[in-house]
Amino acid sequence: MWMFVIAIVILLCYLVYVDIRKPKDYPKGPRWYPIIGNYTQVSKELEKQGYHHKVWMEFANEYGNMIGLKMGTMLLVVVNGVDLVREVLTRDEFSGRPDGFFFRLRTFGKQIGLVFSEGSFWEKQRKFTVFHLRDLGLGRQKMEALIQEETHDLMEVLKQESAKGPVEIKNAFDISVLNTLWAMTAGKRYNLNDERLNYLARLVHDSFTKVDPSGGLLNQMPLLRFLAPNLCGYNLVSTLVNKITHFISESINEHVDTFDADSPRDLIDMFIKKMHSKSETFTEEQLISLCMDLFMAGSETTSNTLSFAVLYLAEYTDVQRKMQSELNDVLGSRTPTLRDKINLPYTNAVLCEIQRMSNVAPVGVPHKTTCNVTLADCVIPKGTIMLANLFSVHMDEKFWGDPHNFRPERFLNAEGQLEIPDKHFMPFGVGKRRCMGELLAKANYFLVITTLLQNFHIEKNPDDPELNLSGRDGFTLSPASTKLILSARYL
Ligand code: HEM
């Protein structure tokens, strides 16, 4: 009996030793505990800092710009600073995406879709989507006309809302942003007050604030969905996935019923045409997953960027007035177009500065090593999740000097022309997994904010003068609920 007990104790000691032993030449980081790894240290620091990206900055002060962690059973390496961040985002060996129960929950139990697929499957899907979205007008005049139309309607709604009192900014842009994306994807637009779409947009916002981008405990212990479905995020994600899948499937069914191979109308039609060619990767499940990825990745980020922009302009009214004066000089009261961008350097500098400071996607989307990789004298095992802290690049004191000050002029040269330091400014990421919707997002951002400033002065609500410019933590940073006064301008 004693021998048995001793054998069990030795076995347990061995398992604990294996569990807490770090791989050879793994990056420096806090000590690992059995089973939980670094969960407690990260949670404790998160309580202090309030934001995950700030936790990584704090750890970097202690362990250097590359931090080696283990979250439960999962190896996680976080890199800070421009050089390491660029290296991780541009080297092929880091171009994988995390996989597992949590990620597959959205995509029929398979590693499909666009954002979290990898390898040749992902390459084919990305190439197809980029090619056909361009065909449908992405980055061209057709896209511009769509955004202008949406923006015009949005201004009418804001005029009505603002006449009633201060306007809620947090979700103000959700539907108009989704409409431009959905026009290209599914050939459809929705009324800006559409209840179902507003509900879906709220669910997306909720899931982005509550869900751990690297999968969290649910990814490692799928059984948690039975034990603590609310706590581990399972209920929220499955409600979101069911509702969006239903919404997208309805659209796809309508397309199938009215499909004409000779005149595809939008991305869904183009995909259905490809499905008819019996290509293995072009399945109905993939079509739903692709649409879901575009819906989520495209709406949340752009809408949050626009809401943050309005908050910053309310906080810095002198900057707002300067932008309005440039817009008066260059455009007068005519509708802004993308060709005007070049003649509005100050306006563009402000838009860049807002993106630099608001950091809507502070660590982008997690990557994964596809083999054992050597990075700056460290060895990172195959399958390690990689987080590239874009926030650390945008807040780098050595480069920006005063990163915590809101100073749009840093994006202007001595002649007052726009000069973007591309190496240090990467809100859309870099490398072959960089954001796919950059052109659409930038066009929306420019056209909506310039039109808004032509139509309104934005001011703080005297009843609630403290603005929270840091937003709420999550997969993306999102503005907290804030009401502002929009007073109509008459040009
Ligand atoms: C201001 C708005 C936006 C910001 C700040 C933003 C930022 C980002 C970032 C940082 C990444 C991660 C890059 C990486 O993994 O290294 C990303 C990926 C992605 N974004 Fe965006 N994004 C925005 C708008 C959009 C829009 C409008 C779309 C829709 C067309 C979109 C679709 C995607 C997709 C599909 C990916 C995954 C790309 C891949 O894995 O190959 N994004 N975005």
Side-chain angles (χ1 to χ4, degrees), residues 89 97 114-115 122 126 181 294 297-298 301-302 305 355 360-361 364-365 367 390 427-430 432-437 440-441:
L89 295 185
R97 289 288 197 211
L114 224 162
V115 179
W122 161 76
R126 178 157 173 144
L181 188 59
L294 293 179
T301 43
T302 313
T305 304
Q355 277 202 292
V360 162
V365 179
H367 286 225
L390 305 180
F428 298 95
V430 289
K432 66 184 201 180
R433 292 218 76 141
R434 77 180 285 152
C435 177
M436 237 190 58
L440 177 61

Side-chain angles (χ1 to χ4, degrees), residues 44-105:
K44 213 166 134 201
E45 197 59 39
L46 186 60
E47 256 174 51
K48 248 200 264 167
Q49 303 294 337
Y51 297 89
H52 277 88
H53 53 274
K54 291 194 175 165
V55 171
W56 311 137
M57 301 284 276
E58 199 53 36
F59 280 179
N61 289 336
E62 203 172 336
Y63 304 104
N65 271 344
M66 187 169 13
I67 309 145
L69 300 152
K70 189 174 182 190
M71 305 297 279
T73 54
M74 178 185 82
L75 294 179
L76 171 75
V77 170
V78 184
V79 293
N80 296 280
V82 67
D83 293 328
L84 285 171
V85 165
R86 287 194 86 85
E87 197 168 343
V88 164
L89 295 185
T90 51
R91 274 175 66 181
D92 266 6
E93 307 97 300
F94 294 108
S95 67
R97 289 288 197 211
D99 186 15
F101 176 79
F102 170 79
F103 298 97
R104 292 176 178 226
L105 195 56

Side-chain angles (χ1 to χ4, degrees), residues 11-260:
L11 182 69
L12 282 178
C13 290
Y14 175 73
L15 289 177
V16 166
Y17 168 74
V18 169
D19 196 39
I20 60 172
R21 191 180 51 172
K22 297 194 176 183
K24 191 167 181 301
D25 296 326
Y26 194 65
K28 278 195 224 148
R31 217 174 102 203
W32 298 350
Y33 294 109
I35 304 170
I36 54 172
N38 296 120
Y39 263 115
T40 45
Q41 294 112 311
V42 171
S43 306
K44 213 166 134 201
E45 197 59 39
L46 186 60
E47 256 174 51
K48 248 200 264 167
Q49 303 294 337
Y51 297 89
H52 277 88
H53 53 274
K54 291 194 175 165
V55 171
W56 311 137
M57 301 284 276
E58 199 53 36
F59 280 179
N61 289 336
E62 203 172 336
Y63 304 104
N65 271 344
M66 187 169 13
I67 309 145
L69 300 152
K70 189 174 182 190
M71 305 297 279
T73 54
M74 178 185 82
L75 294 179
L76 171 75
V77 170
V78 184
V79 293
N80 296 280
V82 67
D83 293 328
L84 285 171
V85 165
R86 287 194 86 85
E87 197 168 343
V88 164
L89 295 185
T90 51
R91 274 175 66 181
D92 266 6
E93 307 97 300
F94 294 108
S95 67
R97 289 288 197 211
D99 186 15
F101 176 79
F102 170 79
F103 298 97
R104 292 176 178 226
L105 195 56
R106 302 173 324 119
T107 49
F108 307 94
K110 301 174 184 163
Q111 195 183 23
I112 55 176
L114 224 162
V115 179
F116 288 103
S117 58
E118 56 184 10
S120 63
F121 179 92
W122 161 76
E123 263 169 39
K124 270 192 209 141
Q125 293 297 326
R126 178 157 173 144
K127 207 167 149 196
F128 171 89
T129 312
V130 170
F131 181 83
H132 288 296
L133 282 179
R134 285 228 175 103
D135 223 23
L136 290 161
L138 183 74
R140 309 234 198 96
Q141 245 175 326
K142 203 168 157 192
M143 174 190 79
E144 179 173 32
L146 276 171
I147 301 175
Q148 282 167 334
E149 207 178 307
E150 278 308 321
T151 310
H152 175 268
D153 287 4
L154 177 66
M155 294 307 131
E156 293 307 311
V157 169
L158 289 177
K159 274 179 195 157
Q160 288 164 17
E161 292 289 309
S162 59
K164 294 183 214 152
V167 177
E168 175 58 73
I169 298 302
K170 187 175 78 156
N171 307 114
F173 303 99
D174 287 356
I175 308 302
S176 66
V177 162
L178 267 170
N179 271 343
T180 46
L181 188 59
W182 229 233
M184 279 183 251
T185 310
K188 244 187 170 174
R189 78 171 294 266
Y190 292 82
N191 186 301
L192 294 181
N193 294 320
D194 187 276
E195 274 188 25
R196 184 175 178 204
L197 210 58
N198 271 302
Y199 169 69
L200 290 180
R202 275 200 306 279
L203 274 182
V204 174
H205 281 309
D206 265 9
S207 70
F208 271 74
T209 46
K210 294 191 183 121
V211 153
D212 181 339
S214 47
L217 276 176
L218 181 60
N219 204 39
Q220 299 168 39
M221 297 181 218
L223 279 179
L224 278 179
R225 70 187 185 279
F226 303 118
L227 303 173
N230 276 328
L231 205 67
C232 67
Y234 176 77
N235 279 352
L236 179 63
V237 178
S238 45
T239 306
L240 174 71
V241 169
N242 289 340
K243 301 270 182 215
I244 295 191
T245 303
H246 188 66
F247 171 78
I248 292 169
S249 299
E250 270 179 17
S251 222
I252 293 176
N253 291 340
E254 283 167 22
H255 278 72
V256 170
D257 291 343
T258 53
F259 179 71
D260 174 359

Side-chain angles (χ1 to χ4, degrees), residues 330-342:
V330 177
L331 304 179
S333 58
R334 93 174 147 76
T335 304
T337 70
L338 294 175
R339 282 183 308 281
D340 293 318
K341 264 182 126 172
I342 189 147

